[in-house]
Amino acid sequence: MAPSRKFFVGGNWKLNGDKASLGALAESMNKASLDPNTEIVCGAPAIYIDFARQKLDPKIGVAAQNCYKLAKGAFTGEISPAMIKDCGAHWVILGHSERRHVFGETDELIGQKVAHALSEGLGVIACIGEKLDEREAGVTEKVVFDQTKHIADNVKDWSKVVLAYEPVWAIGTGKTASPQQAQEVHEKLRHWLKKHVSEAVANSTRIIYGGSVTASNCKELAGMADLDGFLVGGASLKPEFIDIINAKK
């Protein structure tokens, strides 16, 4: 891994937790010995962003799991980047496969959200990934490149973007892409950035992996040249999240 790319581990708490359990999780993370060379960000449910920011050590970042493409207005149930920042969080996860496939978000909408979040000064964890039938049909590259293009077209400042490759068939299924499968897609994504954005962006942008990352597979995955970290789902609520954060130690 290039020295300029700081290892990044995001925890996506999804629709889980309450004040008692998330407070206990924050306390255990605050007490743990965490690799100082790893950037850590926890994605809290919107209603707990403020709570997570208050409870977590300042060195651990907080993300929203989603936001809208506009600053304010008649959009019942949505939250804006400005609100996220007002609660002390500095990141947002956008384009997660569950937003795409459960809630029907399009590439276009995700691109608009990325543009607005960045314009408001949030860091963006932008997710891409193919479904099982797409991988089996041999169109993985086409799918992830198309998704990446809709994101890239909306990015002016790449220093605020982390790309998260999450093969949909590996999320919450217990199936993990092999380190070699993950590395292959990450390497191709980096080459795409070099060709379509710039070599500097390709070399500096962190591309992280998500999809059933656990304490038992994180070290081998972290050893791949183009894997710059993880976006962790279920395991981010468990004690093993500490081991995943420390995968490079």
Side-chain angles (χ1 to χ4, degrees):
M1 190 175 77
S4 59
R5 299 201 302 267
K6 186 172 187 177
F7 203 70
F8 184 102
V9 176
N12 179 7
W13 295 347
K14 304 191 183 184
L15 178 55
N16 292 296
D18 51 27
K19 284 186 177 179
S21 62
L22 296 178
L25 178 66
E27 192 177 345
S28 67
M29 288 184 69
N30 294 345
K31 286 179 180 169
S33 172
L34 304 175
D35 186 345
N37 299 313
T38 294
E39 185 169 4
I40 309 157
V41 175
C42 290
I47 202 164
Y48 294 133
I49 291 170
D50 198 3
F51 178 78
R53 184 60 289 162
Q54 289 175 44
K55 294 295 182 184
L56 285 165
D57 187 291
K59 70 175 181 282
I60 300 168
V62 175
Q65 297 174 12
N66 186 32
C67 69
Y68 197 52
K69 64 179 180 178
L70 296 169
K72 59 185 176 181
F75 306 105
T76 300
E78 294 292 334
I79 61 170
S80 70
M83 292 172 181
I84 293 164
K85 286 175 67 180
D86 195 35
C87 288
H90 293 99
W91 289 90
V92 62
I93 301 168
L94 291 173
H96 191 280
S97 66
E98 289 152 8
R99 297 304 316 173
R100 294 175 187 271
H101 304 304
V102 180
F103 298 102
E105 293 191 8
T106 62
D107 286 343
E108 288 75 16
L109 176 60
I110 291 158
Q112 291 165 342
K113 289 183 175 193
V114 168
H116 180 55
L118 290 171
S119 74
E120 291 285 307
L122 281 183
V124 172
I125 302 166
C127 304
I128 53 181
E130 81 285 9
K131 295 186 290 191
L132 184 58
D133 58 342
E134 292 165 337
R135 175 166 278 269
E136 288 175 344
V139 294
T140 293
E141 282 177 53
K142 180 186 185 312
V143 171
V144 296
F145 291 169
D146 281 353
Q147 291 173 346
T148 305
K149 184 180 189 310
H150 279 91
I151 292 162
D153 286 348
N154 288 284
V155 175
K156 293 187 178 77
D157 179 6
W158 279 91
S159 70
K160 304 282 284 185
V161 177
V162 173
L163 270 183
Y165 169 59
E166 297 201 307
V168 181
W169 47 271
I171 297 174
T173 59
K175 288 183 184 174
T176 316
S178 71
Q180 293 71 28
Q181 282 174 318
Q183 164 60 19
E184 182 185 10
V185 177
H186 281 237
E187 190 176 4
K188 285 174 176 170
L189 279 166
R190 206 172 296 287
H191 183 73
W192 188 95
L193 290 173
K194 183 177 174 180
K195 186 177 171 186
H196 296 278
V197 185
S198 75
E199 186 164 9
V201 164
N203 289 336
S204 62
T205 300
R206 291 173 291 185
I207 307 176
I208 64 176
Y209 171 78
S212 301
V213 178
T214 64
S216 58
N217 62 26
C218 65
K219 281 208 179 301
E220 194 182 358
L221 284 161
M224 298 290 116
D226 287 291
L227 260 75
D228 303 315
F230 304 114
L231 184 56
V232 184
S236 69
L237 294 155
K238 299 173 185 171
E240 68 181 306
F241 189 47
I242 306 302
D243 298 321
I244 297 168
I245 289 167
N246 293 333
K248 296 290 276 189
K249 251 178 141 176

